[in-house]
Amino acid sequence: MKNQELAKQLTTPSKNSRLEKFGKSITFFCLTLIVFIVAMILIFVAQKGLSTFFVNKVNPFDFLFGSQWQPGVKDANGQPYLGALPMIMGSFIVTILSAIVATPFAIGAAVFMTEVSPKYGAKILQPVIELLVGIPSVVYGFIGLQVVVPFVRSIFGGTGFGILSGVFVLFVMILPTVTFMTVDSLRAVPRHYKEASLAMGATRWQTIWRVILNAARPGIFTAVIFGMARAFGEALAIQMVVGNSAVIPTSLTTPAATLTSVLTMGIGNTVMGTVQNNVLWSLALVLLFMSLAFNMVMKLITREGKKNYAR
Protein backbone atom coordinates (compact mmCIF):
# COMPACT_ATOMS: atom_id res chain seq x y z
CA MET A 1 0.00 0.00 0.00
CA LYS A 2 2.78 2.37 0.91
CA ASN A 3 4.61 1.48 -2.29
CA GLN A 4 1.54 2.34 -4.36
CA GLU A 5 1.14 5.71 -2.63
CA LEU A 6 4.82 6.47 -3.14
CA ALA A 7 4.61 5.54 -6.82
CA LYS A 8 1.53 7.72 -7.21
CA GLN A 9 3.32 10.70 -5.64
CA LEU A 10 6.31 10.22 -7.92
CA THR A 11 4.25 9.98 -11.10
CA THR A 12 1.78 12.77 -10.29
CA PRO A 13 2.94 16.18 -11.68
CA SER A 14 3.83 18.61 -8.93
CA LYS A 15 2.41 22.09 -8.61
CA ASN A 16 5.65 23.65 -9.87
CA SER A 17 5.71 21.44 -12.95
CA ARG A 18 2.09 22.33 -13.74
CA LEU A 19 2.89 26.03 -13.38
CA GLU A 20 5.90 25.58 -15.64
CA LYS A 21 3.80 23.90 -18.32
CA PHE A 22 1.19 26.65 -18.00
CA GLY A 23 3.87 29.32 -18.36
CA LYS A 24 5.31 27.61 -21.44
CA SER A 25 1.83 27.39 -22.96
CA ILE A 26 1.17 31.10 -22.37
CA THR A 27 4.58 32.02 -23.80
CA PHE A 28 4.03 29.86 -26.89
CA PHE A 29 0.56 31.34 -27.40
CA CYS A 30 1.89 34.92 -27.18
CA LEU A 31 4.74 34.12 -29.57
CA THR A 32 2.35 32.51 -32.03
CA LEU A 33 -0.01 35.48 -31.80
CA ILE A 34 2.80 37.95 -32.51
CA VAL A 35 4.01 35.95 -35.51
CA PHE A 36 0.43 35.67 -36.80
CA ILE A 37 -0.19 39.43 -36.47
CA VAL A 38 3.08 40.30 -38.24
CA ALA A 39 2.34 37.80 -41.01
CA MET A 40 -1.16 39.21 -41.48
CA ILE A 41 0.22 42.75 -41.70
CA LEU A 42 2.73 41.67 -44.34
CA ILE A 43 0.09 39.80 -46.33
CA PHE A 44 -2.41 42.67 -46.10
CA VAL A 45 0.05 45.36 -47.19
CA ALA A 46 1.46 43.12 -49.94
CA GLN A 47 -2.00 42.31 -51.26
CA LYS A 48 -2.98 45.97 -51.40
CA GLY A 49 0.38 47.15 -52.72
CA LEU A 50 0.70 44.54 -55.47
CA SER A 51 -2.78 45.40 -56.79
CA THR A 52 -1.19 48.38 -58.51
CA PHE A 53 0.83 46.03 -60.72
CA PHE A 54 -1.54 43.06 -61.13
CA VAL A 55 -4.93 44.78 -61.18
CA ASN A 56 -4.18 48.25 -62.52
CA LYS A 57 -1.39 46.95 -64.80
CA VAL A 58 1.15 49.60 -63.79
CA ASN A 59 4.70 48.84 -64.86
CA PRO A 60 6.83 48.22 -61.72
CA PHE A 61 9.87 49.76 -63.42
CA ASP A 62 7.92 52.94 -64.21
CA PHE A 63 6.64 53.02 -60.64
CA LEU A 64 10.06 52.69 -58.98
CA PHE A 65 12.05 54.85 -61.39
CA GLY A 66 9.49 57.27 -62.78
CA SER A 67 10.07 60.92 -61.91
CA GLN A 68 6.51 62.26 -62.19
CA TRP A 69 3.92 61.76 -59.44
CA GLN A 70 0.43 62.84 -60.54
CA PRO A 71 -2.03 60.00 -59.79
CA GLY A 72 -4.99 62.08 -60.97
CA VAL A 73 -3.47 62.96 -64.38
CA LYS A 74 -3.17 60.49 -67.25
CA ASP A 75 -0.73 60.44 -70.13
CA ALA A 76 -1.50 59.86 -73.83
CA ASN A 77 -1.83 56.10 -73.20
CA GLY A 78 -4.38 56.59 -70.44
CA GLN A 79 -1.94 55.73 -67.66
CA PRO A 80 -1.57 58.01 -64.63
CA TYR A 81 1.82 59.43 -63.70
CA LEU A 82 2.86 57.17 -60.81
CA GLY A 83 6.62 57.63 -60.54
CA ALA A 84 7.68 57.08 -56.91
CA LEU A 85 11.35 57.96 -57.41
CA PRO A 86 11.04 61.53 -55.99
CA MET A 87 9.62 60.24 -52.70
CA ILE A 88 12.09 57.37 -52.47
CA MET A 89 15.01 59.73 -53.07
CA GLY A 90 13.60 62.26 -50.61
CA SER A 91 13.24 59.61 -47.89
CA PHE A 92 16.76 58.29 -48.40
CA ILE A 93 18.39 61.73 -48.55
CA VAL A 94 16.67 62.98 -45.41
CA THR A 95 17.42 59.73 -43.56
CA ILE A 96 21.09 59.51 -44.50
CA LEU A 97 21.84 63.18 -43.84
CA SER A 98 20.07 63.17 -40.46
CA ALA A 99 22.05 60.07 -39.45
CA ILE A 100 25.33 61.69 -40.57
CA VAL A 101 24.58 64.79 -38.49
CA ALA A 102 23.32 62.89 -35.44
CA THR A 103 26.10 60.28 -35.21
CA PRO A 104 28.98 62.55 -34.03
CA PHE A 105 26.76 64.21 -31.42
CA ALA A 106 25.48 60.83 -30.22
CA ILE A 107 28.97 59.33 -29.94
CA GLY A 108 30.26 62.43 -28.14
CA ALA A 109 27.39 62.37 -25.65
CA ALA A 110 27.80 58.64 -25.09
CA VAL A 111 31.55 58.94 -24.48
CA PHE A 112 30.92 61.78 -22.03
CA MET A 113 28.30 59.75 -20.16
CA THR A 114 30.39 56.58 -19.94
CA GLU A 115 34.07 57.56 -19.93
CA VAL A 116 34.63 61.27 -19.37
CA SER A 117 32.15 62.19 -16.67
CA PRO A 118 29.69 59.40 -15.81
CA LYS A 119 28.52 61.24 -12.68
CA TYR A 120 27.51 64.50 -14.36
CA GLY A 121 26.41 62.63 -17.47
CA ALA A 122 23.91 60.63 -15.44
CA LYS A 123 22.70 63.71 -13.55
CA ILE A 124 22.51 66.28 -16.34
CA LEU A 125 22.87 64.87 -19.83
CA GLN A 126 20.87 61.67 -19.47
CA PRO A 127 17.67 63.37 -18.17
CA VAL A 128 17.87 65.90 -21.00
CA ILE A 129 18.16 63.18 -23.63
CA GLU A 130 15.36 61.20 -21.98
CA LEU A 131 13.18 64.29 -22.20
CA LEU A 132 13.74 64.40 -25.96
CA VAL A 133 12.43 60.84 -26.24
CA GLY A 134 9.11 61.74 -24.62
CA ILE A 135 8.31 64.71 -26.85
CA PRO A 136 5.55 63.80 -29.39
CA SER A 137 6.28 63.97 -33.10
CA VAL A 138 3.70 66.69 -33.67
CA VAL A 139 5.53 68.94 -31.19
CA TYR A 140 8.76 68.45 -33.12
CA GLY A 141 6.86 69.32 -36.27
CA PHE A 142 5.45 72.54 -34.77
CA ILE A 143 8.87 73.57 -33.47
CA GLY A 144 10.35 72.85 -36.88
CA LEU A 145 7.58 74.88 -38.52
CA GLN A 146 8.02 77.87 -36.21
CA VAL A 147 11.80 77.80 -35.65
CA VAL A 148 13.67 75.65 -38.16
CA VAL A 149 11.84 76.71 -41.33
CA PRO A 150 12.28 80.49 -40.67
CA PHE A 151 15.92 79.87 -39.73
CA VAL A 152 16.63 78.01 -42.97
CA ARG A 153 14.75 80.68 -44.93
CA SER A 154 16.80 83.51 -43.41
CA ILE A 155 20.17 81.77 -43.75
CA PHE A 156 19.92 79.80 -46.99
CA GLY A 157 17.05 81.54 -48.78
CA GLY A 158 14.05 79.98 -50.45
CA THR A 159 10.82 79.14 -48.69
CA GLY A 160 12.53 77.34 -45.81
CA PHE A 161 10.61 74.16 -46.54
CA GLY A 162 12.79 71.36 -47.84
CA ILE A 163 15.17 68.56 -47.08
CA LEU A 164 17.45 70.71 -44.91
CA SER A 165 14.63 71.57 -42.52
CA GLY A 166 13.64 67.91 -42.40
CA VAL A 167 17.24 66.94 -41.61
CA PHE A 168 17.38 69.34 -38.65
CA VAL A 169 14.09 68.04 -37.24
CA LEU A 170 14.96 64.36 -37.70
CA PHE A 171 18.43 64.94 -36.28
CA VAL A 172 16.91 65.97 -32.95
CA MET A 173 14.35 63.15 -33.08
CA ILE A 174 16.81 60.29 -33.65
CA LEU A 175 19.57 61.70 -31.42
CA PRO A 176 18.24 60.09 -28.19
CA THR A 177 17.85 56.69 -29.83
CA VAL A 178 21.36 56.64 -31.27
CA THR A 179 22.84 58.04 -28.05
CA PHE A 180 21.30 55.50 -25.68
CA MET A 181 22.15 52.55 -27.93
CA THR A 182 25.73 53.85 -28.24
CA VAL A 183 25.93 54.15 -24.45
CA ASP A 184 24.88 50.51 -24.12
CA SER A 185 27.51 49.50 -26.69
CA LEU A 186 30.27 51.36 -24.86
CA ARG A 187 29.29 49.84 -21.53
CA ALA A 188 29.30 46.37 -23.10
CA VAL A 189 33.00 46.64 -23.97
CA PRO A 190 34.94 44.34 -21.59
CA ARG A 191 36.63 46.38 -18.88
CA HIS A 192 39.97 44.60 -19.28
CA TYR A 193 40.29 46.19 -22.75
CA LYS A 194 40.53 49.60 -21.11
CA GLU A 195 42.75 48.39 -18.28
CA ALA A 196 45.16 46.70 -20.68
CA SER A 197 45.40 49.83 -22.84
CA LEU A 198 46.11 52.09 -19.86
CA ALA A 199 48.64 49.61 -18.48
CA MET A 200 50.57 49.76 -21.75
CA GLY A 201 50.94 53.53 -21.40
CA ALA A 202 48.12 54.82 -23.60
CA THR A 203 46.42 58.02 -22.55
CA ARG A 204 42.73 58.15 -21.71
CA TRP A 205 41.82 59.68 -25.06
CA GLN A 206 43.94 57.16 -26.95
CA THR A 207 42.18 54.39 -25.07
CA ILE A 208 38.76 55.84 -25.87
CA TRP A 209 39.53 56.44 -29.53
CA ARG A 210 41.54 53.37 -30.47
CA VAL A 211 40.28 50.73 -28.05
CA ILE A 212 36.82 51.41 -26.63
CA LEU A 213 35.22 52.96 -29.72
CA ASN A 214 36.87 50.39 -31.96
CA ALA A 215 35.57 47.52 -29.84
CA ALA A 216 32.08 49.06 -29.69
CA ARG A 217 31.98 49.74 -33.42
CA PRO A 218 29.40 47.03 -34.29
CA GLY A 219 27.08 48.32 -31.59
CA ILE A 220 27.52 51.91 -32.77
CA PHE A 221 26.75 50.89 -36.35
CA THR A 222 23.64 49.12 -35.08
CA ALA A 223 22.60 52.29 -33.24
CA VAL A 224 23.04 54.36 -36.40
CA ILE A 225 21.05 51.89 -38.52
CA PHE A 226 18.30 51.83 -35.89
CA GLY A 227 18.22 55.63 -35.93
CA MET A 228 18.01 55.59 -39.72
CA ALA A 229 15.07 53.19 -39.53
CA ARG A 230 13.41 55.56 -37.07
CA ALA A 231 14.00 58.52 -39.38
CA PHE A 232 12.88 56.63 -42.50
CA GLY A 233 9.50 55.83 -40.95
CA GLU A 234 8.79 59.24 -39.42
CA ALA A 235 5.70 60.84 -40.95
CA LEU A 236 4.05 63.75 -39.16
CA ALA A 237 7.04 65.88 -38.20
CA ILE A 238 8.74 65.55 -41.57
CA GLN A 239 5.48 66.27 -43.38
CA MET A 240 5.21 69.65 -41.67
CA VAL A 241 8.64 70.94 -42.74
CA VAL A 242 9.70 69.17 -45.94
CA GLY A 243 7.36 71.04 -48.32
CA ASN A 244 5.52 67.98 -49.72
CA SER A 245 6.42 68.62 -53.35
CA ALA A 246 6.68 65.32 -55.22
CA VAL A 247 9.61 66.27 -57.44
CA ILE A 248 13.17 65.00 -57.54
CA PRO A 249 15.12 67.22 -55.12
CA THR A 250 17.62 69.50 -56.83
CA SER A 251 18.99 71.12 -53.66
CA LEU A 252 18.63 70.87 -49.91
CA THR A 253 16.50 74.02 -49.69
CA THR A 254 13.88 73.24 -52.33
CA PRO A 255 10.58 71.60 -51.27
CA ALA A 256 10.57 67.82 -51.52
CA ALA A 257 8.49 64.84 -50.38
CA THR A 258 9.04 61.54 -48.62
CA LEU A 259 7.18 58.25 -48.73
CA THR A 260 5.59 58.87 -45.35
CA SER A 261 4.54 62.45 -46.11
CA VAL A 262 2.77 61.45 -49.33
CA LEU A 263 1.09 58.53 -47.54
CA THR A 264 -0.25 60.61 -44.66
CA MET A 265 -1.55 63.33 -46.96
CA GLY A 266 -3.11 61.11 -49.60
CA ILE A 267 -4.51 58.01 -47.92
CA GLY A 268 -7.57 59.83 -46.54
CA ASN A 269 -8.41 61.50 -49.84
CA THR A 270 -8.71 58.42 -52.05
CA VAL A 271 -11.37 55.78 -52.63
CA MET A 272 -10.56 52.19 -51.70
CA GLY A 273 -9.86 50.05 -54.76
CA THR A 274 -8.96 52.89 -57.14
CA VAL A 275 -5.53 53.20 -58.68
CA GLN A 276 -4.91 56.31 -56.60
CA ASN A 277 -5.51 54.30 -53.44
CA ASN A 278 -3.63 51.18 -54.57
CA VAL A 279 -0.53 53.13 -55.47
CA LEU A 280 -0.39 54.55 -51.96
CA TRP A 281 -0.43 51.00 -50.64
CA SER A 282 2.45 50.31 -53.02
CA LEU A 283 4.38 53.14 -51.37
CA ALA A 284 3.58 51.57 -48.01
CA LEU A 285 4.91 48.25 -49.33
CA VAL A 286 8.17 49.93 -50.35
CA LEU A 287 8.37 51.50 -46.91
CA LEU A 288 7.77 48.11 -45.28
CA PHE A 289 10.48 46.44 -47.35
CA MET A 290 12.94 49.17 -46.38
CA SER A 291 12.11 48.67 -42.71
CA LEU A 292 12.76 44.95 -43.09
CA ALA A 293 16.05 45.75 -44.83
CA PHE A 294 17.11 47.96 -41.92
CA ASN A 295 16.28 45.15 -39.49
CA MET A 296 18.30 42.64 -41.51
CA VAL A 297 21.29 44.96 -41.58
CA MET A 298 21.06 45.41 -37.80
CA LYS A 299 20.98 41.64 -37.29
CA LEU A 300 24.04 41.16 -39.51
CA ILE A 301 25.98 43.85 -37.67
CA THR A 302 24.97 42.42 -34.29
CA ARG A 303 26.04 38.95 -35.38
CA GLU A 304 29.44 40.21 -36.51
CA GLY A 305 29.83 42.07 -33.21
CA LYS A 306 29.18 38.88 -31.24
CA LYS A 307 31.78 37.06 -33.32
CA ASN A 308 34.35 39.76 -32.60
CA TYR A 309 33.68 39.59 -28.85
CA ALA A 310 33.95 35.81 -28.96
CA ARG A 311 37.40 36.08 -30.49
Side-chain angles (χ1 to χ4, degrees):
M1 190 68 179
K2 292 182 178 180
N3 293 335
Q4 293 179 353
E5 292 179 356
L6 181 60
K8 184 178 181 180
Q9 291 178 359
L10 293 175
T11 56
T12 302
S14 63
K15 182 179 179 180
N16 290 334
S17 63
R18 290 196 298 269
L19 289 175
E20 183 178 358
K21 290 182 180 179
F22 178 75
K24 288 182 178 180
S25 301
I26 293 296
T27 304
F28 180 77
F29 173 76
C30 294
L31 179 62
T32 305
L33 181 62
I34 292 173
V35 173
F36 175 77
I37 292 174
V38 173
M40 289 298 101
I41 292 175
L42 293 175
I43 294 173
F44 181 79
V45 176
Q47 180 184 6
K48 292 291 186 179
L50 294 177
S51 297
T52 303
F53 313 116
F54 292 100
V55 177
N56 304 116
K57 307 300 180 181
V58 175
N59 191 329
F61 185 85
D62 294 337
F63 172 75
L64 293 175
F65 300 101
S67 59
Q68 295 187 43
W69 177 262
Q70 293 178 316
V73 180
K74 296 183 179 181
D75 57 14
N77 298 323
Q79 292 293 329
Y81 295 99
L82 302 176
L85 185 61
M87 288 77 73
I88 296 175
M89 288 184 60
S91 295
F92 273 105
I93 293 173
V94 171
T95 300
I96 293 173
L97 290 181
S98 61
I100 291 175
V101 175
T103 300
F105 288 94
I107 294 177
V111 169
F112 180 82
M113 294 168 62
T114 56
E115 301 295 333
V116 177
S117 181
K119 180 179 179 181
Y120 289 102
K123 286 185 177 181
I124 300 175
L125 191 57
Q126 184 173 348
V128 173
I129 297 177
E130 289 175 349
L131 180 62
L132 294 177
V133 177
I135 298 177
S137 298
V138 65
V139 176
Y140 280 112
F142 274 119
I143 294 175
L145 194 62
Q146 297 295 323
V147 178
V148 177
V149 171
F151 172 79
V152 172
R153 184 189 303 125
S154 61
I155 300 298
F156 301 98
T159 61
F161 294 93
I163 290 178
L164 191 59
S165 298
V167 169
F168 286 147
V169 172
L170 287 181
F171 150 67
V172 179
M173 294 185 68
I174 69 174
L175 181 62
T177 301
V178 182
T179 300
F180 284 132
M181 294 188 66
T182 303
V183 168
D184 293 337
S185 301
L186 295 178
R187 289 175 177 169
V189 175
R191 188 168 183 81
H192 62 266
Y193 284 17
K194 178 181 177 180
E195 295 173 350
S197 177
L198 295 174
M200 294 178 65
T203 63
R204 183 176 64 171
W205 288 107
Q206 287 175 332
T207 301
I208 293 173
W209 179 255
R210 298 189 177 276
V211 178
I212 297 177
L213 288 178
N214 191 43
R217 184 171 52 188
I220 296 174
F221 285 157
T222 302
V224 174
I225 297 298
F226 195 87
M228 292 176 64
R230 169 78 171 85
F232 199 84
E234 178 56 41
L236 187 57
I238 193 69
Q239 176 190 340
M240 298 173 70
V241 299
V242 79
N244 303 309
S245 179
V247 294
I248 295 180
T250 56
S251 69
L252 297 180
T253 55
T254 56
T258 63
L259 292 170
T260 52
S261 65
V262 171
L263 278 171
T264 52
M265 287 194 311
I267 198 65
N269 300 318
T270 58
V271 179
M272 187 70 69
T274 61
V275 63
Q276 290 83 2
N277 183 267
N278 290 338
V279 75
L280 292 178
W281 284 105
S282 300
L283 294 181
L285 185 62
V286 173
L287 192 63
L288 181 61
F289 278 136
M290 289 310 307
S291 299
L292 295 176
F294 282 127
N295 289 332
M296 292 178 62
V297 171
M298 283 189 288
K299 288 185 177 296
L300 291 175
I301 295 175
T302 303
R303 187 180 304 172
E304 292 297 325
K306 290 181 179 179
K307 290 181 180 179
N308 293 336
Y309 281 135
R311 294 173 185 173

